[in-house]
Amino acid sequence: RDIGAQDAATVIVDSNTASDNGGHGIAVGRNEYGVRDGSSLTIADNEVAGNLENGIHIHKVESGSIALVDGNDVAGNGGYGLWLCGEAETLRDGEAYVLGNTLDANEGWGIYAYMEHALLDVSGCNQVTGNAGGGIYIDGENLTIVDIHNNNIAGNTGWGLLNDSDETVDALTNWWGDGSGPYHADTNTGGLGDPVSDNVFYDPWMT
């Protein structure tokens, strides 16, 4: 835990079990640390369950760095499943790829991301299910590119996808828990799937 990557470093956190810890399961970058200056972070194929706080907590990804979160099983944690940079810990001028993970039954959001002038790709059949805080939360300024495709986003409390920014997020071709699509108060009142907020492109969806 508490890992940092700077000056074009490469960090790989692979095939571990992180369970029942009194804090986060896997934590990368705290305080002034993070993934920066052209560095690369891979968190892959880990079992992360039953931790008191967030399952995977990534503090900062910035200045040309890349983070890959791939194939992890993140379930039953007391905070967020994946914390991908909060408001003061921004995904800024970097890239993040969230691919093929299971983010299930966490007490907070399945995925929480705050970004500025960055690329975020959430695809590859992530299972974002049964999270008490909601499915996916997006916020930030000058988002640049946010792609959320080919995921199972279902059974979450409150929102399937909440975009709190003023920009539009591309969330086409996801499964929202029902063939009628995600519920939206104006544009899909008959949707029985997890709700989506304004500023989300969601049609077409998977059926």
Side-chain angles (χ1 to χ4, degrees), residues 62-138:
E62 56 188 7
S63 56
S65 296
I66 299 174
L68 170 64
V69 181
D70 184 11
N72 300 281
D73 189 348
V74 184
N77 297 285
Y80 305 101
L82 171 61
W83 169 279
L84 186 55
C85 309
E87 185 170 353
E89 309 165 344
T90 307
L91 170 58
R92 178 187 296 116
D93 296 319
E95 302 175 16
Y97 299 87
V98 182
L99 310 176
N101 302 278
T102 295
L103 300 139
D104 179 64
N106 298 287
E107 289 299 314
W109 290 89
I111 300 172
Y112 182 103
Y114 190 97
M115 55 190 293
E116 181 179 338
H117 195 247
L119 181 153
L120 174 60
D121 180 2
V122 180
S123 63
C125 202
N126 292 285
Q127 306 293 313
V128 185
T129 55
N131 296 288
I136 301 174
Y137 178 89
I138 302 292

Side-chain angles (χ1 to χ4, degrees), residues 90-96 113-121 137-148 161-170 198-200:
T90 307
L91 170 58
R92 178 187 296 116
D93 296 319
E95 302 175 16
Y114 190 97
M115 55 190 293
E116 181 179 338
H117 195 247
L119 181 153
L120 174 60
D121 180 2
Y137 178 89
I138 302 292
D139 198 2
E141 302 175 0
N142 301 315
L143 301 185
T144 306
I145 299 175
V146 180
D147 288 332
I148 302 173
L161 173 56
L162 172 57
N163 177 16
D164 250 353
S165 78
D166 294 328
E167 301 172 50
T168 301
V169 167
D170 185 345
D198 293 338
N199 298 324
V200 173

